[in-house]
Amino acid sequence: MSEPLLDISHATKIYGGGFFHSSHQVIALQDFNLTIPEKPAKVTTIAGESGSGKTTLANAVLGFVRLTSGQIRFRGHDISQLNRQQALEYRRQVQAIFQDPYAVYNPFYRVKHIFDLVIRNFKLAENKREAREMIEDALQVVGMRGGEILEKYPHQLSGGQRQRMMVARAYLVKPSLIVADEPVSMVDASLRAMILDIMLRLRDEHNISFLYITHDLSTAYQVCDQIVLLYQGIVAEKGDTVKVIENPKHPYVQALIDSIPVPDPTQKWSEDIVLPDEEELRIRIDSGCRFYPRCPYRMDRCLVKQPPLYHIDGVAHQAACYLYDDKPHDGSSSSA
Ligand code: SF4
């Protein structure tokens, strides 16, 4: 059997502590496991509230953050152990799209510059003509044409144009995986639909997988194949998107779905569910279920140990909650 495209095992990131544990530790991500196959390409959503650990995970996959423990393997290679050549290839294979495309542009350079830079860094073209063809091809994928637009400065583009340019830039190097961190949260509804549609076309027509980081369940429901819901750095529920969103099992995820104002998963997810003292709770609740203080079904045993992921429906639907302790689990607190 071939190696998966991305294999994250027992990924843990702890911030703080200092020398002699002189400051509080914050567990941003704990024992996180995820596998994305080489084929077929998939859109995997990592969802959760602010502070759930989803951006820490994205940054770890992009190599911006070093894990405290655990491993991220790309086609069988531990990304923390890559040599220079392998690291360059990894940076080509794994691209990023961020929430605020404007922050990625250098305001003093024309738009064309970001494409030229990528082509030069990864030595993608033999000559100018070939480079121009590659750029036109990438722009076409996102429904744009070169011409004048490449000669503009970033501030002369609309927010939507800037974000589509970012998708085109990511596509330019023909990656295998794109980490998309809240890519549609700053654009309007019509543009959101367009960008989500582009993601699906890249998945289906170009075999590009996505790690889609979002707090918005409605867009996750529209585009993703599998979903992982994080709560304070721990997997609360994961599995096939339709199964999880249409029939949530973890009390936290049920509360999230209930917080959608009408029973329509295509509606935007309410952000009102965030309660105060999240950080404080995260520091204090370090042994039992992190959702205990907010859970309507809590039991004494929930405080003793973090529940493992119980298999509600095999690997297609798992939830980390003792309410399902009649179901099998794989023994790890959040293993797939
Ligand atoms: Fe609630 Fe216990 Fe389940 Fe945690 S394990 S979500 S506290 S019932």
Side-chain angles (χ1 to χ4, degrees), residues 237 243-250 253-255 257 317 324:
E237 188 158 348
K243 284 180 193 282
V244 171
I245 293 186
E246 293 190 355
N247 189 18
K249 294 297 183 187
H250 193 286
V253 181
Q254 289 171 346
I257 305 286
H317 193 174
Y324 309 101

Side-chain angles (χ1 to χ4, degrees), residues 6 8 28-29 32-36 43-49 52-59 61 178-183 210-217 219-220 224-231 233-235 237-239 241 269:
L6 191 75
I8 304 175
L29 192 67
F32 181 91
N33 298 279
L34 177 73
T35 300
I36 297 178
V43 177
T44 301
T45 290
I46 309 296
E49 297 165 292
S52 62
K54 59 189 191 303
T55 297
T56 296
L57 176 70
N59 286 337
V61 171
I178 293 177
V179 178
D181 192 354
E182 303 275 15
F210 282 82
L211 200 57
Y212 176 49
I213 313 296
T214 188
H215 68 281
D216 180 1
L217 280 187
T219 55
C224 87
D225 302 296
Q226 54 180 354
I227 188 165
V228 182
L229 285 125
L230 288 171
Y231 182 75
I234 288 192
V235 175
E237 188 158 348
K238 67 190 290 190
T241 305
W269 183 14

Side-chain angles (χ1 to χ4, degrees), residues 250-251 289 291-292 295 297-299 302 307 321-323:
H250 193 286
C289 174
F291 195 57
Y292 182 91
C295 183
Y297 309 105
R298 61 192 178 203
M299 306 166 271
C302 306
C321 174
Y322 286 123
L323 293 174

